[in-house]
Amino acid sequence: MRHNRTGKVLGRTKAPREALLRSLATSFVVYGKIKTTKAKAKVLRPIVEKLITSAKNDTLHNRRLALSYLYTEGAVKKLFEVLGPQYKDRKGGYTRIIKLEPRVNDGAEMAVIELV
C-alpha cells in the first residue's frame, strides 16, 4: 500500500528516475525550454523552482548543492549568473507548463515547460 507516499514514479525505479530528472533539469536550465510529457513536466517543475530559488542567493554552499544535482558546470554557471539575478525580485512561479497535442506514436500527453 502507498500510505503517505508522495511523488510520481514515472514507471521507473529510483535510480533511473533520479537520473532522468537530473538530466531534464540540466537541459531545462541550459535551454530555458524543453518539450516532454506532461507527467514529467509536472514532476520537474518543483525541482527547477527550488534550484532557481537557491540561485537567487549566490553562495558557495548553494553552488555546490546545485552542482551536486545538475550534471554540467555550465548549467550551474548559467543558473547563478543569469537566472538567479533575473528572478531576484520574483517570489516564485518561474516556470509555466503549456499543453500540446498528444504524441502520434503512443498518444502520450505532451507539454512544453518554459521559463516565465
Side-chain angles (χ1 to χ4, degrees):
M1 291 188 204
R2 296 191 72 245
H3 295 305
N4 294 327
R5 294 277 183 121
T6 59
K8 295 285 184 185
V9 179
L10 299 175
R12 291 165 174 83
T13 54
K14 185 173 192 271
R17 181 176 60 245
E18 287 179 352
L20 170 77
L21 292 175
R22 287 178 67 187
S23 177
L24 284 173
T26 303
S27 296
F28 181 77
V29 169
V30 170
Y31 298 111
K33 174 202 264 193
I34 56 172
K35 179 181 174 184
T36 184
T37 63
K38 189 171 109 177
K40 289 176 190 170
K42 284 180 156 185
V43 173
L44 179 65
R45 173 184 259 175
I47 295 168
V48 172
E49 300 247 345
K50 288 172 188 168
L51 284 171
I52 293 174
T53 301
S54 69
K56 288 163 51 171
N57 185 13
D58 189 3
T59 61
L60 182 61
H61 179 68
N62 285 342
R63 277 186 182 263
R64 286 182 176 166
L65 286 176
L67 190 57
S68 72
Y69 193 81
L70 299 176
Y71 280 124
T72 62
E73 291 183 14
V76 174
K77 187 174 180 182
K78 181 175 180 185
L79 184 67
F80 281 89
E81 293 179 4
V82 178
L83 298 180
Q86 179 180 346
Y87 294 111
K88 196 73 172 171
D89 297 331
R90 194 177 180 103
K91 293 188 186 252
Y94 314 113
T95 60
R96 79 167 56 104
I97 296 175
I98 301 171
K99 296 176 190 173
L100 301 174
E101 56 190 37
R103 191 162 48 200
V104 176
N105 183 5
D106 58 356
E109 295 178 328
M110 298 298 289
V112 170
I113 181 168
E114 63 185 8
L115 292 167
V116 175

